[in-house]
Amino acid sequence: MGQHDYDVDHTASLAVINAVSAVADRDPTELPPLYETIDPDALDALLSEQTETGVRPEVSFSYDGYAVTVVRTETQLSVEVTE
């Protein structure tokens, strides 16, 4: 399990790959393509901007056997990965 925080300049798709590879203790290139689970472009678009103050977009899905939750705030992108 792990919580990984990134600055808002990070794309959500890259943050997910980095967080899962850290929890799985595997190189990111060893993970299956993210697009087989979720559309990376749609994920990035959804979490690229905060629309209103106090709104925290959140997306949860399964990836490579892990439960992944991505939350965006004004200052950071958080990825929680659990088995």
Side-chain angles (χ1 to χ4, degrees), residues 1-2 7 12 15 20 32 38 40 44 46 48 50 53 57 59 62 71 80:
M1 182 172 129
D7 63 40
V20 172
I38 193 168
D44 292 342
L46 179 65
S48 66
Q50 189 162 350
T53 303
V59 177
S62 295
V71 179
E80 182 178 74

Side-chain angles (χ1 to χ4, degrees), residues 40-51:
D41 293 332
L43 180 66
D44 292 342
L46 179 65
L47 297 167
S48 66
E49 292 182 21
Q50 189 162 350
T51 55

Side-chain angles (χ1 to χ4, degrees), residues 26-46:
R26 294 175 22 209
D27 189 88
T29 60
E30 295 174 355
L31 296 175
L34 186 59
Y35 64 79
E36 291 179 356
T37 300
I38 193 168
D39 182 335
D41 293 332
L43 180 66
D44 292 342
L46 179 65

Side-chain angles (χ1 to χ4, degrees), residues 1-4 18-26 66 81-83:
M1 182 172 129
Q3 170 94 24
H4 302 270
N18 289 338
V20 172
S21 70
V23 170
D25 194 27
R26 294 175 22 209
Y66 295 92
V81 180
T82 56
E83 290 187 61

Side-chain angles (χ1 to χ4, degrees), residues 46-47 49-58 71-76:
L46 179 65
L47 297 167
E49 292 182 21
Q50 189 162 350
T51 55
E52 295 177 30
T53 303
V55 173
R56 301 177 108 190
E58 181 176 313
V71 179
R72 186 185 191 288
T73 67
E74 290 180 29
T75 59
Q76 72 181 13

